[in-house]
Amino acid sequence: MSSEEQRRLDDCRNDKDWKTWGPYLSERQWGTVREDYSNDGNAWSYFSHDQARSRTYHWGEDGIAGYCDDKQRLCFCVALWNGKDPILKERLFGLTNNEGNHGEDVKEYYFYLDSTPTHSYMKYLYKYPQAAYPYQNLIDGNRSRSRSEPEYELIDTGIFDEDRYFDVFVEYAKNSEHDTVIRLTIANRGPESSSIRVLPTLWFRNTWQWWDTPKPSMSKLPSQSGDAILAQHAELGDFVFRPYGESSLLFTENESNNASLFGGTNESPYVKDAFHRYVISGEKDAVNPEHTGTKSAADYSLTIGAGDTATILLRLCPREADTDHPMTTRDISEILETRKAEADVFYASITPKGMSAERSNVMRQSLAGMLWSKQHYFYDLGYWLKEHSPNQPRSTQTRNSAWLHMINDDIISMPDKWEYPWFAAWDLAFHCLTLSMVDIDFAKHQLELMLNALYLNPSGQVPAYEWNFGDVNPPVHAWAALQLYNLDKQHTGREDRSFLKRCFDKLIFNFSWWINRKDPGGNNVFQGGFLGLDNIGVFDRSAKLPDGGSLEQADGTAWMAFFCQNMIELSLELAKTDDAYTDLAIKFCQHFLWIAAAMDRIGERDDHLWDEEDGFFYDLLRQADGTAMRLKVRSMVGLLPLCATSVLYPNTEKSNESAIVEMKAFLKRHPDLIAKIAPLNKRGYNGRILFSILNESKLRRVLAYLLDENEFLSEYGIRSLSKVHLEHPYVLEMEGQHLEVGYRPAESDSGMFGGNSNWRGPIWMPVNFLLIRALGAHYAYYGNDFKVECPTGSGNMKNLFEITQDLAERLCKIFLQNSSGKRPVYGGTTKFQTDPHWRNYILFYEYFHGDNGAGIGASHQTGWTGLVGRLLHIFCGIDGAALLEQTTKPVFTAQVDCNPVQTMTR
């Protein structure tokens, strides 16, 4: 067992607190819903980036390469000044939703290079230009562009020309649970010597003004080995922040500069923006000459030669550790190198034998991004709503007013800590699948958070995200729970039935919410709104429809069929040791059959979701006069029914004989329910039973679209909208409106859902992952004899397992260097493709160009895009024939033979 795995297990058993400290600081707290106390709900305008250096946050903190304790009480980040910027660089800059031509977007370059599960070792890179940062240029450049043009990026400004920038590497290593050493390595990549101010900054989150807690303090701590900073907190105790080398200590208060912001008065002359004023404007009296406060920094002034590097060493530890176990710079360097070597050993232990160094690098950076994307998320809805009530107009309903029960105060995996610094329920289910590769216990905890009584609405709804907790996300949490249970069982040999039971019992509430709230006609056809697919529809599927009608959704109904299948499997697993779950398995089987049959009803009325002429599923618009029409947009909406697939193995039947007998009796009474779906009374390969909306005929017809390069199949995965709509956009004339959906492989040309995501052509990792899973399930049922053309029309026949391999490889090669040494993810950006200081650092974008694979949208959404790490792991040396012959249902993960230790590409 590796040293890191032992630390992880010690933390899980509560023997030691190895995860108390980590990268839990947000990368953007300004512009969030939590900080919004406006009357109109415009969070972006209420608290801006320009205010952030002077204005105290209420609910969290942010910073570059941030590090803090698990309640975000004591925080650390790196601040920088190149001698030219108008602002001290304390936080990352980006455009608001209104400023960007494609919505909000961070305009900085930074990379998550490495992290272990306990954060015993972490590495981060920030690229800091030597010229004045072009704040206004970026705002003006993006505002001047239309939605049909690409975003104007930082690199487009020319600021990195001639390599006039600093690489700022930040490394953390834990000597013990609460003792952290830090190394900053600043490399001048430019052709000339250049100066830089580096301010490693330590501060307390302001709780004393908001929450009436005891005010902590920081003060200068003189010692023979040099001055340090003493941080004293009622809960954390006394910590020492010790800088090594020549620096000046600065102190102020983490309190708003009300005089500057609002023309008010300040409680103290020393306020949050003191270091900015001291460094940029030379205001010597901005900092406290008494060397006390609640915010502090060590101010280093460096001049670095062309091509040279400078190093700063720091230590943050309990006071007694600083006193009893002082460290030299050599001690700190040794700890860093030891933890880095242990990280290499840990990753070698989970890397499949035979995986190339290039693929290992992508997998490891995807996991580093997942681990760096943890954030302390604090949001007490009851308190927040109460704060709003005195100023809220009576005619306005405060956002999230139905969620006053919620108290979030946890470390949560974020989609992207700048663009989406808040949890998103369905994203998180996918995060867990990747996180389980390195920390199965943390992954299970994350899933259970969404089902916790302080999160799950009393109605049974899972919270979506802070902009609107009441939005409806796909019900993927039962699937995630089942996957984590099986992965845990495979990895450790334990059957964590208590975890499974806790999840199942809460999921019953969520299932009931769906049945009672999203099937208004009681006909087993479901609505749900946007369901995570933002602008995929001809109109906003979450809004009131133009003609007063209703929308019956192919994806909403398919998600519910999928939910049923997972609940069947969960209840059958639990029924092995508790007969009380047998009846529930039968009930969910009945639900599945009613829902699956409703998608293509028997009868003459042409008002179901399956279109027999086209051989595809579509949403159905049921109009106010009772008529109905299919919205014939060929999109991911019509592919998702393929994902509602599950296979029952004979060993599961033997363990649940009474349930199987009842299911067969139900089918005998209702044979019409399986007339147009996969027949449950027909055995497949090795006696397996297939639960699927698609029978063999439907499967072949849908796959013909899926695998057609002129429709969904891209060189880099499955598109979200068929390419056929490039030349033939779908048009709907309704109540004087001209509504149109065309193929747009890159950024969105629609402002729907903020305009910062696009489901009208690009490739999205999570749904591609589910499609691969579904094809693998069909392969387990049909075996090697079921073959289709791949690509469609090529004459090249493949079985379904070979197709899963093909699709997985297409997705993986987005990030892998091709024969020309270029990564499709970086498109035509030359510096990222050729420069040795850029080309091996990977960004995991939100989605990808439908034709060339270039990354689009949020640039650090390792969240669900981190699934590429799981795909690389699964498909390294996987044997389809061996999988097919397994007598128990396989868990799709690589069988790991330990690789030789490889050092991370840096």
Side-chain angles (χ1 to χ4, degrees):
M1 180 183 295
S2 69
S3 298
E4 173 58 21
E5 178 64 6
Q6 186 62 60
R7 280 190 286 269
R8 192 191 71 81
L9 291 175
D10 287 346
D11 183 86
C12 290
R13 291 192 295 253
N14 297 317
D15 293 341
K16 293 186 177 181
D17 300 321
W18 280 106
K19 294 180 189 172
T20 297
W21 296 85
Y24 309 141
L25 212 59
S26 177
E27 279 160 350
R28 177 177 62 81
Q29 184 67 17
W30 60 272
T32 61
V33 167
R34 280 158 289 152
E35 300 294 340
D36 178 24
Y37 289 83
S38 66
N39 289 332
D40 60 0
N42 189 336
W44 288 108
S45 297
Y46 181 76
F47 201 134
S48 68
H49 173 270
D50 196 47
Q51 292 177 330
R53 65 179 176 273
S54 306
R55 188 174 177 183
T56 304
Y57 295 126
H58 191 350
W59 296 94
E61 295 286 346
D62 57 18
I64 297 171
Y67 187 78
C68 65
D69 67 276
D70 57 5
K71 295 300 179 184
Q72 210 174 88
R73 292 163 293 198
L74 183 58
C75 308
F76 170 86
C77 79
V78 178
L80 306 162
W81 190 53
N82 57 17
K84 303 179 181 69
D85 273 353
I87 301 172
L88 180 65
K89 180 66 73 172
E90 295 178 281
R91 58 187 49 78
L92 300 172
F93 172 74
L95 304 183
T96 69
N97 185 267
N98 292 327
E99 291 172 336
N101 60 323
H102 296 290
E104 63 266 28
D105 188 44
V106 68
K107 299 299 182 184
E108 307 266 17
Y109 295 117
Y110 55 102
F111 303 86
Y112 305 128
L113 298 184
D114 210 1
S115 181
T116 58
T118 66
H119 312 295
S120 60
Y121 178 76
M122 300 193 298
K123 189 172 186 177
Y124 178 108
L125 167 62
Y126 174 66
K127 291 184 176 286
Y128 186 44
Q130 293 173 2
Y133 189 92
Y135 291 101
Q136 197 60 46
N137 183 355
L138 286 165
I139 293 171
D140 294 342
N142 279 277
R143 277 181 172 165
S144 68
R145 294 193 178 193
S146 69
R147 291 193 184 278
S148 62
E149 296 175 278
E151 295 173 339
Y152 182 56
E153 302 292 3
L154 180 59
I155 206 164
D156 298 328
T157 68
I159 202 165
F160 290 102
D161 292 352
E162 299 183 315
D163 294 329
R164 294 181 183 274
Y165 69 93
F166 297 102
D167 268 341
V168 181
F169 294 93
V170 183
E171 293 173 275
Y172 298 92
K174 293 181 182 178
N175 181 47
S176 61
E177 301 101 294
H178 304 281
D179 186 351
T180 304
V181 297
I182 305 165
R183 178 166 60 196
L184 310 181
T185 306
I186 303 97
N188 179 2
R189 302 301 185 196
E192 299 171 357
S193 177
S194 189
S195 297
I196 184 173
R197 295 275 286 275
V198 182
L199 285 79
T201 305
L202 188 75
W203 74 100
F204 288 113
R205 176 164 63 89
N206 189 326
T207 58
W208 54 95
Q209 290 183 315
W210 298 108
W211 305 97
D212 195 28
T213 60
K215 185 175 180 179
S217 67
M218 292 182 178
S219 58
K220 185 167 74 172
L221 180 67
S223 69
Q224 291 182 346
S225 56
D227 292 343
I229 296 166
L230 175 62
Q232 296 178 291
H233 190 279
E235 295 175 352
L236 285 173
D238 292 0
F239 272 74
V240 172
F241 179 57
R242 183 167 295 282
Y244 292 74
E246 186 176 344
S247 67
S248 302
L249 300 186
L250 308 179
F251 293 83
T252 188
E253 301 292 342
N254 183 21
E255 296 176 1
S256 293
N257 187 341
N258 291 308
S260 172
L261 289 163
F262 312 115
T265 58
N266 296 330
E267 292 184 16
S268 165
Y270 311 110
V271 288
K272 184 179 178 180
D273 59 14
F275 301 162
H276 160 81
R277 289 156 47 219
Y278 176 86
V279 171
I280 306 296
S281 304
E283 294 183 34
K284 302 303 180 184
D285 59 353
V287 298
N288 190 340
E290 299 298 320
H291 297 103
T292 62
T294 49
K295 179 180 178 181
S296 62
D299 181 12
Y300 290 84
S301 295
L302 307 174
T303 299
I304 306 174
D308 290 341
T309 62
T311 301
I312 295 172
L313 298 178
L314 310 157
R315 185 187 185 192
L316 176 64
C317 65
R319 187 174 189 175
E320 60 269 22
D322 179 73
T323 303
D324 298 342
H325 304 286
M327 287 188 186
T328 64
T329 56
R330 181 176 179 178
D331 294 332
I332 290 176
S333 297
E334 286 180 354
I335 292 167
L336 281 154
E337 295 309 313
T338 297
R339 293 293 179 260
K340 184 164 66 171
E342 289 171 351
D344 290 337
V345 171
F346 172 78
Y347 277 102
S349 73
I350 67 165
T351 302
K353 190 174 183 180
M355 182 178 280
S356 69
E358 166 68 6
R359 289 172 182 259
S360 298
N361 177 40
V362 174
M363 186 184 85
R364 184 162 173 178
Q365 286 194 54
S366 75
L367 291 166
M370 296 295 305
L371 293 165
W372 266 97
S373 295
K374 295 180 184 180
Q375 178 185 313
H376 174 250
Y377 185 85
F378 181 40
Y379 197 13
D380 183 332
L381 263 292
Y383 191 92
W384 186 82
L385 289 165
K386 184 179 179 181
E387 287 179 317
H388 279 67
S389 58
N391 301 319
Q392 195 71 31
R394 291 186 179 182
S395 60
T396 305
Q397 185 175 14
T398 307
R399 191 194 309 272
N400 295 324
S401 57
W403 296 80
L404 55 85
H405 73 287
M406 285 187 71
I407 302 176
N408 307 152
D409 187 10
D410 298 284
I411 302 300
I412 307 180
S413 176
M414 298 291 136
D416 179 316
K417 289 206 296 186
W418 191 94
E419 190 143 344
Y420 308 118
W422 29 259
F423 70 84
W426 87 297
D427 298 52
L428 190 59
F430 293 101
H431 298 189
C432 292
L433 269 292
T434 304
L435 285 166
S436 68
M437 295 172 63
V438 291
D439 195 347
I440 185 71
D441 298 281
F442 178 73
K444 286 157 62 179
H445 173 69
Q446 291 294 284
L447 188 68
E448 287 201 76
L449 274 181
M450 295 300 102
L451 305 175
N452 185 289
L454 292 176
Y455 286 73
L456 192 70
N457 194 277
S459 68
Q461 185 179 9
V462 173
Y465 43 80
E466 70 174 32
W467 286 94
N468 185 0
F469 284 124
D471 261 350
V472 184
N473 276 186
V476 291
H477 300 86
W479 168 71
L482 185 64
Q483 294 296 308
L484 293 178
Y485 171 79
N486 287 324
L487 286 166
D488 192 17
K489 182 165 64 173
Q490 182 193 61
H491 181 63
T492 66
R494 65 182 175 186
E495 294 184 343
D496 192 352
R497 292 181 176 276
S498 60
F499 160 75
L500 205 63
K501 187 178 185 301
R502 289 193 303 272
C503 290
F504 184 88
D505 291 350
K506 300 292 180 61
L507 287 163
I508 289 280
F509 289 111
N510 184 229
F511 187 88
S512 299
W513 178 86
W514 272 90
I515 293 292
N516 295 322
R517 300 289 183 95
K518 294 301 168 183
D519 178 18
N523 58 3
N524 296 297
V525 178
F526 290 80
Q527 300 176 10
F530 88 114
L531 284 174
L533 307 187
D534 293 19
N535 66 339
I536 203 164
V538 67
F539 39 67
D540 183 347
R541 300 193 303 167
S542 291
K544 186 176 180 180
L545 299 189
D547 70 338
S550 62
L551 191 67
E552 296 179 354
Q553 297 179 219
D555 55 336
T557 308
W559 284 123
M560 278 306 289
F562 185 53
F563 197 173
C564 290
Q565 291 168 348
N566 291 302
M567 293 299 276
I568 292 168
E569 289 199 61
L570 289 169
S571 51
L572 287 174
E573 180 65 27
L574 291 168
K576 290 179 181 179
T577 55
D578 189 343
D579 290 342
Y581 290 91
T582 300
D583 287 344
L584 288 169
I586 297 165
K587 190 64 179 174
F588 284 115
C589 181
Q590 293 171 358
H591 273 296
F592 165 73
L593 291 168
W594 289 116
I595 292 168
M599 296 192 75
D600 186 11
R601 301 184 188 92
I602 295 175
E604 296 181 1
R605 289 185 62 183
D606 194 19
D607 65 348
H608 34 250
L609 303 171
W610 172 256
D611 188 293
E612 181 60 30
E613 181 180 355
D614 290 2
F616 203 72
F617 291 96
Y618 300 109
D619 282 347
L620 186 80
L621 178 61
R622 196 169 292 281
Q623 296 167 300
D625 62 4
T627 60
M629 64 178 294
R630 294 194 191 95
L631 302 176
K632 292 196 173 185
V633 183
R634 277 210 289 281
S635 72
M636 188 59 66
V637 166
L639 295 179
L640 285 171
L642 173 61
C643 296
T645 304
S646 182
V647 177
L648 195 65
Y649 277 57
N651 69 307
T652 303
E653 284 188 72
K654 292 175 183 176
S655 303
N656 297 275
E657 291 182 354
S658 61
I660 301 302
V661 169
E662 286 291 331
M663 291 177 189
K664 288 179 178 178
F666 180 80
L667 285 176
K668 191 172 182 179
R669 295 194 300 273
H670 301 281
D672 53 315
L673 295 181
I674 58 171
K676 294 189 175 185
I677 68 171
L680 271 72
N681 54 6
K682 183 180 179 181
R683 299 280 177 167
Y685 192 86
N686 281 352
R688 295 162 191 162
I689 296 173
L690 178 66
F691 287 80
S692 177
I693 293 170
L694 283 68
N695 58 24
E696 184 173 346
S697 172
K698 284 189 173 78
L699 178 61
R700 290 185 180 278
R701 297 185 73 182
V702 171
L703 286 177
Y705 289 111
L706 180 82
L707 302 174
D708 189 336
E709 292 172 314
N710 296 313
E711 296 260 4
F712 289 99
L713 184 63
S714 162
E715 186 178 350
Y716 302 99
I718 302 300
R719 303 178 177 107
S720 51
L721 188 80
S722 170
K723 196 173 182 178
V724 74
H725 291 304
L726 177 64
E727 300 294 334
H728 306 283
Y730 178 80
V731 175
L732 178 67
E733 304 287 347
M734 179 178 285
E735 294 188 342
Q737 296 184 59
H738 177 84
L739 304 171
E740 184 175 306
V741 175
Y743 175 71
R744 302 290 182 268
E747 291 94 345
S748 172
D749 62 356
S750 162
M752 198 182 299
F753 279 87
N756 62 333
S757 69
N758 183 24
W759 286 83
R760 295 183 176 180
I763 297 154
W764 291 76
M765 193 66 69
V767 287
N768 270 260
F769 189 89
L770 287 176
L771 287 167
I772 289 171
R773 185 213 70 88
L775 292 173
H778 280 99
Y779 172 69
Y781 176 78
Y782 287 108
N784 288 312
D785 293 337
F786 183 103
K787 294 184 178 182
V788 294
E789 283 184 307
C790 181
T792 299
S794 67
N796 183 23
M797 305 300 291
K798 291 185 178 181
N799 65 40
L800 293 175
F801 178 76
E802 291 168 333
I803 292 171
T804 66
Q805 287 180 303
D806 181 279
L807 294 180
E809 184 60 22
R810 289 171 189 256
L811 293 165
C812 292
K813 73 180 184 180
I814 290 173
F815 306 94
L816 299 169
Q817 291 181 343
N818 59 24
S819 58
S820 301
K822 296 182 178 179
R823 302 181 194 276
V825 65
Y826 289 137
T829 309
T830 303
K831 199 163 196 66
F832 276 91
Q833 298 288 18
T834 60
D835 192 308
H837 296 302
W838 295 69
R839 66 197 304 264
N840 289 321
Y841 303 134
I842 316 297
L843 293 177
F844 298 88
Y845 285 83
E846 185 178 4
Y847 53 100
F848 304 89
H849 195 291
D851 296 334
N852 63 35
I856 309 169
S859 57
H860 291 74
Q861 193 157 343
T862 317
W864 61 23
T865 299
L867 286 166
V868 69
R870 171 62 77 182
L871 287 173
L872 285 164
H873 194 260
I874 290 171
F875 285 94
C876 184
I878 193 170
D879 186 341
L883 281 175
L884 193 60
E885 298 304 324
Q886 286 188 20
T887 57
T888 58
K889 193 169 186 176
V891 180
F892 281 83
T893 183
Q895 299 297 319
V896 178
D897 241 346
C898 187
N899 251 341
V901 176
Q902 297 180 8
T903 300
M904 178 71 175
T905 301
R906 304 182 196 281

